[in-house]
Amino acid sequence: VVTSPRGSSSVVHWSRNALMQNRRKDADYVLLCDDDIVVPVDALDRMLIHKKDIVSGLCTKRQDPPEPTMRLWDERTQNYSALLKWEDKRLLEVDAVGTGFLLISRQVIEHMAVAYHREHYEQHGNGFWFEFLKNPNGGEWGEDISFCWKAQRLGYRIFADTSVCPAHIGDYSYTVEDYLPYQDEVIAAGNLDRYRQQQPDAASAIYGRRPERKELIARPTEPTAEVATALVDLGISFADGEVLAEKAG
């Protein structure tokens, strides 16, 4: 476990690249988990069971309503847009995810480094996996979106497990549960930015519905039926796992 990168940079993609550079080279996967993310205790087990090259939990931004960090590519705008509605407790294929809680296979790590920055990777071990890329509209993507863009162009598929719902520590522990009460209104508005613009008094309209501060406890959440069965078969314990597995079977 690497708890912090070598060096003192506050530039997030430099720090992520430093962590990747100092990973265990023989490890099958690297798990990125930001220090303001609280995860269910069985989250890693569930994500590994899928045997995917790139899979994330269903994280949110630290704002009200908390925006889900799953993204789909929009051909019309030539950019990514937030996925506002999804199937619950499923493994979904998406076009981009955040890096707050992200599992990446060794194959992706090595392939991406060689494909995009071979010389520097071979000489110094840094594959510049995370960087700010220019987008087709003249702006910049963050390091998480840029990583996903590069991965897809190498043929990798990106997934999110909507049964793994970490909390994002801010004014309170933001989770997708705090987005759902706004979901229909946000979809009707078209996106979260338009929803916020439509509020006559954004602060009172949004903060007035903010939940009470939650305890920041890493606790099991209900897994998908497929994962529940697989976990029980492997002898991995979690809250009510046997009951869920029986229901799934």
Side-chain angles (χ1 to χ4, degrees):
V1 176
V2 180
T3 57
S4 62
R6 296 176 183 174
S8 58
S9 173
S10 61
V11 181
V12 65
H13 61 287
W14 292 2
S15 296
R16 294 199 193 284
N17 286 331
L19 287 167
M20 296 282 274
Q21 187 175 359
N22 291 291
R23 72 193 186 280
R24 270 186 52 185
K25 304 303 188 293
D26 61 340
D28 294 329
Y29 288 89
V30 166
L31 175 69
L32 298 178
C33 182
D34 288 355
D35 63 2
D36 57 359
I37 294 293
V38 180
V39 301
V41 294
D42 55 348
L44 178 57
D45 293 321
R46 296 195 217 166
M47 292 167 69
L48 284 169
I49 280 174
H50 297 307
K51 297 182 180 179
K52 301 297 185 184
D53 287 301
I54 303 171
V55 59
S56 79
L58 176 45
C59 299
T60 66
K61 294 184 178 181
R62 294 183 299 183
Q63 58 187 143
D64 286 305
E67 180 178 338
T69 57
M70 300 182 294
R71 298 284 185 270
L72 295 177
W73 177 255
D74 187 336
E75 279 292 336
R76 182 180 59 84
T77 63
Q78 288 293 288
N79 210 340
Y80 294 90
S81 60
L83 180 58
L84 301 177
K85 193 168 186 176
W86 56 88
E87 287 188 77
D88 194 22
K89 299 179 179 63
R90 294 289 185 272
L91 183 68
L92 302 181
E93 183 168 6
V94 295
D95 292 314
V97 291
T99 47
F101 191 62
L102 182 64
L103 188 67
I104 310 168
S105 74
R106 180 172 62 190
Q107 179 175 325
V108 171
I109 294 167
E110 295 176 351
H111 188 184
M112 183 178 290
V114 171
Y116 290 100
H117 300 287
R118 175 189 291 270
E119 183 176 352
H120 196 90
Y121 181 59
E122 291 178 346
Q123 292 182 5
H124 306 287
N126 191 337
F128 295 106
W129 300 272
F130 300 99
E131 52 190 322
F132 290 175
L133 296 179
K134 298 292 184 183
N135 65 43
N137 298 304
E140 247 182 357
W141 286 322
E143 86 286 351
D144 47 3
I145 301 297
S146 298
F147 172 85
C148 293
W149 188 91
K150 291 160 64 176
Q152 277 198 322
R153 272 140 195 82
L154 293 176
Y156 295 102
R157 300 165 68 189
I158 299 165
F159 295 89
D161 186 334
T162 64
S163 79
V164 177
C165 301
H168 197 172
I169 302 172
D171 291 335
Y172 65 95
S173 52
Y174 297 80
T175 73
V176 70
E177 293 176 3
D178 305 309
Y179 161 77
L180 294 178
Y182 304 90
Q183 187 177 56
D184 290 342
E185 296 170 61
V186 170
I187 292 172
N191 58 48
L192 274 155
D193 287 338
R194 289 177 190 165
Y195 169 77
R196 294 188 181 99
Q197 292 168 5
Q198 291 173 6
Q199 304 308 307
D201 183 352
S204 62
I206 294 174
Y207 291 104
R209 292 160 61 179
R210 173 183 285 179
E212 294 181 4
R213 188 177 184 88
K214 302 173 185 177
E215 294 181 5
L216 301 179
I217 300 175
R219 60 192 185 279
T221 55
E222 186 177 351
T224 65
E226 176 187 2
V227 169
T229 302
L231 287 173
V232 172
D233 289 344
L234 291 173
I236 298 171
S237 62
F238 58 94
D240 298 324
E242 291 79 8
V243 175
L244 291 171
E246 289 173 5
K247 291 179 181 178

